[in-house]
Amino acid sequence: MGITKSEHFSEHQNELANLLKALGHPARVAIVEYLIQHKQCICGDIVSELPLSQATISQHLRELKQVGIIQGNIEGNSICYCLNPSVFEQINQYMGVVIESVNKNKCC
Amino acid sequence: MGITKSEHFSEHQNELANLLKALGHPARVAIVEYLIQHKQCICGDIVSELPLSQATISQHLRELKQVGIIQGNIEGNSICYCLNPSVFEQINQYMGVVIESVNKNKCC
DNA sequence: AAACTATATTGCAATATTACGATATATATA
DNA sequence: TATATATATCGTAATATTGCAATATAGTTT
């Protein structure tokens, strides 16, 4: 197999899983952190900052874009990337609910 | 290839990515949510709640255990599972930092 | 227009993940 | 002890992911 049985799970479960999966690779975490560190949109030069080929980074950027984690605006002949905070807020909120409900029902 | 170049990234980046990757599958999200809904440790019966075979669920449970998301205690001839809130707190904290830093530096 | 720069896409090889049947293991119960 | 129940592991097939060289595309500059 190798195919995830998405149809058996709720839309919410699939969406959340896709979001977390997109962040579930060190190169993509590194891209997010690079965007944070630079405190602004980055036009170009992500490739030179990471130890991966241009093709590979382009692929990772596409995955991050697909789930809305980053946004890319064309700026001349380069592309300006920035983070979309609402996605992180969504994850944050979900984790908050988990934490709250676990703390309310300790048993192990 | 297919092999992630973990050695090129920081320990922190690899750890976070592993954690998020473990949650990046709808079946594993469903397992977490099932544990939340039941407001207590679940001894057995996870298999009958999910539309996947026993072998597949056992595999997913192992992945969740490996990164510390769940804990399993042997209880008679079944196993008692519960969530580990500290992992979720870790993710929550990370997301908080991202949100804060993005909101501080809007530019797109 | 030609050359240059930045990013995306294609094609492919290597490896990882997902899923499950079959089987193993371990405890509980008759 | 034999049988039942619960979970783990093995083996395997199908599919996905990762990574990169080569190439394509699009804008910029000379």
Side-chain angles (χ1 to χ4, degrees), chain A residues 52-66:
Chain A
L52 294 169
S53 76
Q54 183 269 321
T56 302
I57 289 171
S58 182
Q59 207 171 270
H60 283 306
L61 288 169
R62 184 172 49 186
E63 283 180 72
L64 289 171
K65 253 184 283 183
Q66 242 158 19

Side-chain angles (χ1 to χ4, degrees), chain A residues 73-94:
Chain A
N73 305 309
I74 297 171
E75 188 91 4
N77 70 338
S78 72
I79 294 183
C80 222
Y81 290 106
C82 55
L83 294 167
N84 173 12
S86 78
V87 171
F88 295 93
E89 271 155 17
Q90 198 180 319
I91 297 173
N92 203 42
Q93 197 187 336
Y94 186 83

Side-chain angles (χ1 to χ4, degrees), chain A residues 32-63:
Chain A
V32 167
E33 294 188 346
Y34 183 69
L35 288 171
I36 288 172
Q37 276 163 25
H38 282 256
K39 308 188 181 208
Q40 56 178 338
C41 301
I42 294 302
C43 301
D45 83 352
I46 287 185
V47 170
S48 58
E49 289 300 318
L50 293 176
L52 294 169
S53 76
Q54 183 269 321
T56 302
I57 289 171
S58 182
Q59 207 171 270
H60 283 306
L61 288 169
R62 184 172 49 186
E63 283 180 72

Side-chain angles (χ1 to χ4, degrees), chain B residues 32 37 41 70-71 75 88 96 99 106:
Chain B
V32 166
Q37 276 163 24
C41 301
I70 64 173
Q71 195 180 347
E75 188 91 4
F88 294 93
I99 293 163
K106 284 190 178 156

Side-chain angles (χ1 to χ4, degrees), chain B residues 1-2 21 25 28 53 55-56 59-60 63 76:
Chain B
M1 314 257 161
K21 188 165 76 167
H25 189 286
R28 295 193 289 267
S53 76
T56 302
Q59 208 171 270
H60 284 305
E63 283 180 71

